[in-house]
Amino acid sequence: MRGALIALSLGAGLGLLSACSNTAEAESKTAWCALFREGDNSAELPEPVPCQFSQKQGDVTISIDGQRYDFAASEQGKTYQRDNHTLGIGFSRQDDFTLVVFWEDPRQQ
């Protein structure tokens, strides 16, 4: 159920973060994030909150509510799953959490 809600919320809008070039510069963007904790049985999407998304050479850092989440490109498919959509990106760590990044406030879509 949660996966369907995430896919539905991400798959229905516009906006795409352009791919980071091969330069060493990080791409950074203010975004909106929703954090799903494993074991949370709520059928509702958590309230999205402002967050900071940064990507450098495929490595992603997300800062949300004073907490930092790092997703190394070399670990994709090993320690986490990444799911790109037109509205944003979802990052999942099995048995831990799913963090969904929206480029625009999903409540305004």
Side-chain angles (χ1 to χ4, degrees), residues 5-99:
L5 287 172
I6 294 168
L8 199 69
S9 65
L10 285 173
L14 300 173
L16 178 65
L17 185 65
S18 61
C20 196
S21 67
N22 287 334
T23 65
E25 295 180 29
E27 183 170 355
S28 187
K29 177 177 178 66
T30 300
W32 292 87
C33 292
L35 181 63
F36 300 84
R37 292 274 181 204
E38 184 63 32
D40 179 10
N41 294 324
S42 174
E44 295 184 24
L45 292 172
E47 188 72 17
V49 296
C51 60
Q52 190 66 34
F53 173 91
S54 298
Q55 180 169 291
K56 181 178 179 179
Q57 297 179 333
D59 296 336
V60 172
T61 298
I62 300 165
S63 298
I64 175 175
D65 289 336
Q67 186 74 26
R68 180 178 157 153
Y69 298 87
D70 294 304
F71 303 96
S74 63
E75 290 297 310
Q76 184 174 339
K78 299 174 187 172
T79 62
Y80 73 93
Q81 299 298 318
R82 178 176 173 155
D83 194 14
N84 295 320
H85 293 274
T86 56
L87 279 181
I89 303 176
F91 297 89
S92 296
R93 289 212 163 110
Q94 188 172 355
D95 300 326
D96 195 2
F97 65 85
T98 297
L99 177 56

